[in-house]
DNA sequence: CTGAAAGCGCTTACAG
DNA sequence: CTGAAAGCGCTTACAG
């Protein structure tokens, strides 16, 4: 072994009295090498604490066995704040990668900037996972570019018709419908919808479409005045949105916020305006963040299965990398009943 | 440019009518190349969508401009659950890396297993950031091994005397002392401490030492019966620990839980036993997780500055990689007063 | 300021 | 089953 620095396959070859090619074969478990020499080489490798140089190996094989996760979030005053929803997805993605033997590179991107998405071009990663909301119309053109550059990627988000690349998302429409039906079943008739419904945010729009579908199915006319815009999923925005609605003199006996964070803000606005939730007004959200159950008023919400989502995301990306045909997939959404809707008696 | 596949520096050289060496120099911004040719080459590179192959470049330069983050957590039934404290650190670390031009590889490790920490040996990363609690005594020997293998690493955790490698941690002792003083100042005299104080968990022990110091300074004797073990930072464990204490017939007018999650569990145990917090019993935690402020009883706690922590971690690691002398550092801790301690009147 | 050449450490046809 | 050799795409002394 060379006096200092890492051992190379040549060092092992020397020790074992074989050629370097044989070492490389033995270490990759090739059955071409006799069991005896294979074992001998493996023992020496272990003793020398040899590790294959990934740069050399990847350069030669032309793939990196690494995936890159791009998290989009525009900067907040507090740097460290990440949307808790993506955070739980991150955990699942990391584990799924590990299970498949892939490493995971992670990078924060700002929607406003040009994406720094050259991981595949620079051979640092074999594919991209895109996470984070933002204006879909803006993102779309970049997605299109990625497709043209032949970049392997999957994104988390609404599955919309004719979209560039493939997406994994939750069934926002069914989820929105199910939770609205729940509210309707509770006898609520004036349910506010907090969330933008424009094209920039297809997931919110689908949730609203579910809201409308539930109303129609129940033979109740949707009152457009009950919908308020809210684009960013933050407590502040939710607070503001519902406060605006109430100021307009709109009466309300239910609130369906397009995300949990919006719901928490809306609940606060309600309280400030003198309404008691859930007695006077039922409140529900969407996402099922960890804090939804910890909130002072445990939140009834629609759960997105982040564990499954992460697994499916890496599975789809890997299929794509292997050259298989892949389609977008929609994951089920599930209503979680807690106290904020008033369905359960207070303890 | 070759008909298919990525462009290489040779393709650019051909287009520009210069040698490949010149292309390489120009693209790395070497002042050896005349401004004219440099500009010309950069234009062609852009047009060809050329990206330096990181594998080749790293192989040649022998460093990867990548850091690896090892997150330790033993598996939970729900795969996707990560301790929220580390999650907020993760955000900060990612951004700090990006600012320094480093990529970040992330990997989950289980304490029980052998660490898969060969990122540096395999040249995938230049250094390691270790995050996560677990039995310090077990971790110590692995840390020692890393030092012997000459691996660059920093870990988040208690800064303890004669420890292998370097650590960045919060000043647990001062934090524990400050919050105990706050409780004492509120007139509390029988303050339970929820958290293990053995060597396996130096951070909890330091917080307890702060608890003791505050008592001594106030001339109050510490009652060892007020301390209950709790190793894992979960709501369940905190609940159980305090319930045990109360069952033993110990009277209590305050609870200092060694973490926020423990505090939330303890609060529940208190309520179940018929005690009202904060009126009868003041409760405080440690960490300042996002959910501490969202909890039904907003938690008074000791804040660890995760943003700063992440920045210091990567800074120290980078210094080490550059070969500079580095020492462990202790970050300040800050008491955040909310409602659970009873210092503020209820609204 | 520029080019020809060596070499980073592997993997893998090719030949035996 | 094994070895000699080419080559992945760069960076960087070396020579001019």
């Amino acid at each position: 072994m060379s006096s200092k620095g890492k051992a190379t396959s040549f060092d092992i070859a020397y020790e074992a009295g074989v050629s370097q090619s044989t070492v490389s074969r033995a270490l990759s478990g090739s059955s071409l090498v006799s069991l005896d020499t294979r074992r001998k080489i493996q023992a020496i490798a272990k003793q020398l604490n040899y590790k294959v140089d990934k740069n050399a190996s990847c350069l030669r094989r032309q793939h990196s066995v690494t995936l890159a996760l791009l998290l989009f979030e525009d900067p907040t005053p507090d740097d460290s704040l990440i949307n808790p929803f993506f955070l739980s997805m991150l955990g699942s993605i990391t584990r799924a990668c590990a299970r498949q033997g892939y490493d995971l590179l992670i990078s924060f991107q700002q929607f406003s900037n040009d994406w720094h998405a050259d991981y595949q071009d620079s051979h640092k990663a074999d594919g991209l996972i895109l996470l984070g909301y933002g204006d879909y119309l803006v993102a779309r053109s970049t997605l299109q570019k990625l497709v043209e550059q032949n970049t392997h990627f999957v994104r988390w988000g609404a599955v919309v018709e004719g979209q560039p690349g493939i997406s994994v998302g939750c069934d926002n429409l069914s989820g929105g419908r199910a939770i609205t039906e729940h509210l309707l079943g509770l006898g609520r008739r004036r349910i506010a919808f907090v969330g933008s419904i424009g094209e920039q945010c297809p997931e919110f729009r689908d949730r609203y479409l579910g809201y409308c579908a539930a109303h129609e199915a129940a033979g109740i006319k949707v009152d457009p005045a009950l919908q308020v815009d809210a684009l960013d999923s933050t407590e502040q925005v939710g607070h503001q949105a519902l406060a605006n609605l109430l100021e307009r003199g709109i009466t309300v006996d239910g609130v369906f916020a397009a995300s949990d964070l919006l719901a928490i803000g809306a609940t606060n606005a309600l309280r400030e305006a003198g309404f008691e939730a859930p007695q006077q007004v039922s409140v529900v959200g969407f996402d099922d963040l960890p804090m939804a159950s910890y909130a002072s008023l445990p939140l009834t919400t629609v759960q997105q299965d982040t564990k499954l989502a992460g697994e499916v995301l890496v599975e789809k990306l890997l299929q794509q990398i292997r050259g298989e045909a892949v389609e977008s997939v929609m994951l089920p959404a599930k209503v979680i009943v807690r106290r904020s809707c008033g369905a359960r008696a207070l303890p």
Side-chain angles (χ1 to χ4, degrees), chain A:
Chain A
M1 174 183 176
S2 63
S3 53
K4 44 155 166 256
K6 310 282 174 202
T8 72
S9 51
F10 283 94
D11 297 318
I12 297 178
Y14 177 79
E15 291 274 322
V18 297
S19 75
Q20 182 266 341
S21 333
T22 302
V23 171
S24 177
R25 287 198 195 93
L27 260 21
S28 64
S30 163
S31 59
L32 282 175
V33 181
S34 80
L35 197 67
D36 264 8
T37 38
R38 218 188 309 167
R39 277 219 260 263
K40 184 173 168 192
I41 288 170
Q42 276 158 354
I44 297 176
K46 186 159 191 185
Q47 182 208 319
L48 258 42
N49 193 33
Y50 171 79
K51 297 282 154 33
V52 176
D53 185 311
K54 286 286 169 65
N55 292 131
S57 161
C58 295
L59 173 59
R60 183 51 232 247
R61 312 179 99 129
Q62 296 292 314
H63 63 253
S64 59
V65 202
T66 301
L67 265 26
L69 174 62
L70 270 44
L71 242 168
F72 293 91
E73 234 174 3
D74 274 324
T76 53
D78 176 357
D79 234 17
S80 65
L81 253 182
I82 315 181
N83 186 323
F85 179 72
F86 296 125
L87 244 22
S88 61
M89 203 100 114
L90 170 66
S92 162
I93 290 172
T94 314
R95 294 190 212 257
C97 281
R99 250 193 313 269
Q100 307 280 345
Y102 273 71
D103 281 323
L104 215 220
L105 223 34
I106 147 165
S107 159
F108 280 39
Q109 309 274 333
Q110 299 182 358
F111 255 109
S112 24
N113 293 4
D114 263 350
W115 299 4
H116 161 66
D118 52 3
Y119 290 99
Q120 189 179 333
D121 295 325
S122 67
H123 291 271
K124 278 217 85 163
D126 300 329
L128 265 30
I129 299 176
L130 272 29
L131 220 61
Y133 297 139
D135 192 322
Y136 176 67
L137 294 175
V138 176
R140 210 190 145 96
S141 67
T142 313
L143 259 26
Q144 189 56 51
K145 220 178 296 169
L146 287 181
V147 171
E148 282 161 17
Q149 286 178 197
N150 209 7
T151 300
H152 301 304
F153 74 94
V154 289
R155 63 180 280 274
W156 171 259
V159 175
V160 330
E161 201 63 32
Q163 165 175 257
I166 84 137
S167 294
V168 176
C170 124
D171 190 344
N172 293 299
L173 194 136
S174 301
R177 177 170 175 158
I179 198 141
T180 308
E181 281 167 353
H182 178 75
L183 250 24
L184 257 15
L186 257 26
R188 300 312 194 180
R189 287 296 174 271
R190 306 263 321 147
I191 306 171
F193 182 87
V194 180
S196 297
I197 56 174
E199 287 224 57
Q200 326 94 305
C201 194
E203 26 271 311
F204 283 9
R205 198 190 37 192
D206 283 350
R207 291 168 199 178
Y208 183 67
L209 258 25
Y211 163 99
C212 296
H215 279 79
E216 276 159 34
I220 301 167
K221 235 182 108 185
V222 170
D223 179 359
L226 285 168
Q227 185 268 331
V228 243
D229 279 343
L231 228 174
D232 292 330
S233 249
T234 67
E235 205 185 319
Q236 292 73 25
V237 169
H239 189 131
Q240 192 59 47
L242 199 74
N244 289 157
L245 189 98
L246 296 175
E247 270 166 28
R248 273 182 237 138
I250 312 279
T251 57
V252 138
D253 60 9
V255 174
F256 172 16
S259 80
D260 285 351
L261 253 15
L262 290 173
I264 290 173
T267 309
N268 294 340
L270 235 27
R271 187 175 354 93
E272 283 175 19
F275 295 101
E276 283 222 50
Q279 295 86 341
Q280 295 171 266
V281 183
S282 298
V283 180
V284 301
F286 207 107
D287 285 345
D288 196 28
L289 301 184
M291 67 177 61
S293 58
Y294 283 103
S296 45
L297 215 203
L299 200 60
T300 293
T301 189
V302 180
Q303 182 175 70
Q304 306 201 62
D305 187 341
T306 52
K307 182 169 176 245
L308 179 62
E311 286 162 3
V312 173
L313 278 166
V314 342
E315 186 196 342
K316 292 293 149 191
L317 182 52
L318 258 27
Q319 288 176 349
Q320 213 178 123
I321 290 171
R322 281 188 232 113
E324 300 169 21
V326 183
E327 305 226 318
S328 291
V329 352
M330 215 182 241
L331 269 20
K334 184 178 154 203
V335 173
I336 306 285
V337 177
R338 297 204 182 87
R339 301 215 327 252
S340 68
C341 59
R344 293 183 183 175
L346 297 175

